[in-house]
Amino acid sequence: MKSRLFKILAGILLFLLCLLGLALSVVPGKAHTLLRESSETALGVPATLGSMDTSLSGSQLGLEFVDFDIHNPAGFEGAHLLHLGSVVCTLRLTSLLTGTVAVDDLVVENLRLRIVQDGSRSNMAPLLKKIAQGLQGSPPADTEDPGAGTDPGAGPRLALKSLTLRGVGVDLELTGLGDLNVRESATLPDWTLPLDGVRAADGGDPTLGDILAHLLDQLHARALGAIEGVVPKELLPLLRGVSTEELIRDGLEREFLDALAPDAVDGLKGAGAKAAQKLKGLLGDR
């Protein structure tokens, strides 16, 4: 009787080990798909993953993503917009059976953000616009539909306690603006990214796409703070995602025309439009 029970228990254990092995073999392939779809949904550009390692310790599953890259929008060559050398996290296996994956902490090392402004063309502006649209499209937190506004492609929900960034570098390429040609690099201090206010569109735990969008938005803001000293202050709005049309309208018309007497504005609007066209040419608008 004991021998038979032992065989049954051994068979169950072997079956569970096979299932676990199968799950671990499927995770890397699934991760590639999730990261690509989450990036495309949240940022509007694809992402690729070099490799992924898994490890098991009790009920904890360790994951390491190596060479995770968020691509540039179409039309930009060279290095990717954002490179993450290593992303390490540990998640609780039992949470995989729920709607929210519990991750105690996530550490990202060797990040490299590339900001390109070529005349009116920017590799960051389309992504910042996509992030802003996602925030504006969020329904109220008390919505009756718990899934409202949450795109399935945004990836799984994450209960993430902390996100630490180490070894962060920034490369700025500023060309096509008259004679201005700036190529600068900077290193940012390590920091832990606050996640308290990051929520999904329906007010629930953030999705993987929400985390990616928040990471890029905060990283971009810190990068501009580090490099703003090498960029003419008049052009900083371009690096923040403002279009040349908005820069011309808000810069020329608001700053100068608003300073004139009301009866003089009408007569100068035509001249202002001509000046704007000249400035658009200087900015390489195309």
Side-chain angles (χ1 to χ4, degrees), residues 52-265:
M52 176 181 171
D53 294 325
T54 60
S55 61
L56 185 64
S57 177
S59 62
Q60 303 288 322
L61 177 63
L63 302 176
E64 180 179 8
F65 304 95
V66 180
D67 293 336
F68 174 44
D69 293 305
I70 294 177
H71 294 205
N72 292 295
F76 290 89
E77 304 298 331
H80 293 304
L81 184 145
L82 179 61
H83 171 76
L84 294 81
S86 173
V87 182
V88 178
C89 65
T90 301
L91 54 87
R92 301 171 204 166
L93 281 174
T94 53
S95 69
L96 297 177
L97 303 176
T98 68
T100 301
V101 179
V103 183
D104 290 337
D105 55 76
L106 192 150
V107 178
V108 184
E109 297 188 348
N110 299 323
L111 292 82
R112 200 85 201 171
L113 176 66
R114 180 184 179 223
I115 302 174
V116 179
Q117 184 73 46
D118 180 13
S120 65
R121 299 172 63 248
S122 165
N123 71 333
M124 282 295 308
L127 282 73
L128 296 175
K129 183 178 180 180
K130 182 74 172 176
I131 293 172
Q133 289 174 342
L135 294 175
Q136 294 168 0
S138 299
D142 59 353
T143 178
E144 296 181 1
D145 183 0
T150 302
D151 192 323
R157 293 179 185 272
L158 300 177
L160 181 60
K161 292 184 178 180
S162 66
L163 175 56
T164 300
L165 309 179
R166 298 173 181 163
V168 184
V170 180
D171 297 314
L172 171 67
E173 301 173 24
L174 186 58
T175 60
L177 300 167
D179 295 330
L180 189 64
N181 190 332
V182 176
R183 294 181 182 273
E184 293 285 343
S185 296
T187 300
L188 304 184
D190 298 347
W191 90 96
T192 297
L193 194 61
L195 298 174
D196 295 344
V198 184
R199 311 299 296 173
D202 59 5
D205 288 312
T207 65
L208 179 57
D210 296 322
I211 298 296
L212 285 177
H214 183 66
L215 167 62
L216 185 60
D217 181 62
Q218 295 298 305
L219 186 58
H220 177 251
R222 287 218 173 191
L224 292 189
I227 62 178
E228 64 180 0
V230 300
V231 179
K233 64 179 182 179
E234 296 82 5
L235 299 178
L236 281 175
L238 284 177
L239 300 182
R240 296 191 181 102
V242 174
S243 68
T244 52
E245 289 82 0
E246 292 171 316
L247 184 64
I248 291 167
R249 182 185 66 241
D250 295 342
L252 285 179
E253 296 185 6
R254 185 174 300 172
E255 182 176 350
F256 295 107
L257 296 184
D258 287 356
L260 298 176
D263 57 352
V265 171

Side-chain angles (χ1 to χ4, degrees), residues 17-70:
L17 289 175
C18 289
L19 282 181
L20 181 59
L22 179 62
L24 292 178
S25 67
V26 170
V27 165
K30 185 66 174 177
H32 283 262
T33 302
L34 284 175
L35 290 172
R36 184 187 70 250
E37 292 181 349
S38 297
S39 179
E40 290 179 341
T41 298
L43 305 175
V45 294
T48 53
L49 178 63
S51 63
M52 176 181 171
D53 294 325
T54 60
S55 61
L56 185 64
S57 177
S59 62
Q60 303 288 322
L61 177 63
L63 302 176
E64 180 179 8
F65 304 95
V66 180
D67 293 336
F68 174 44
D69 293 305
I70 294 177

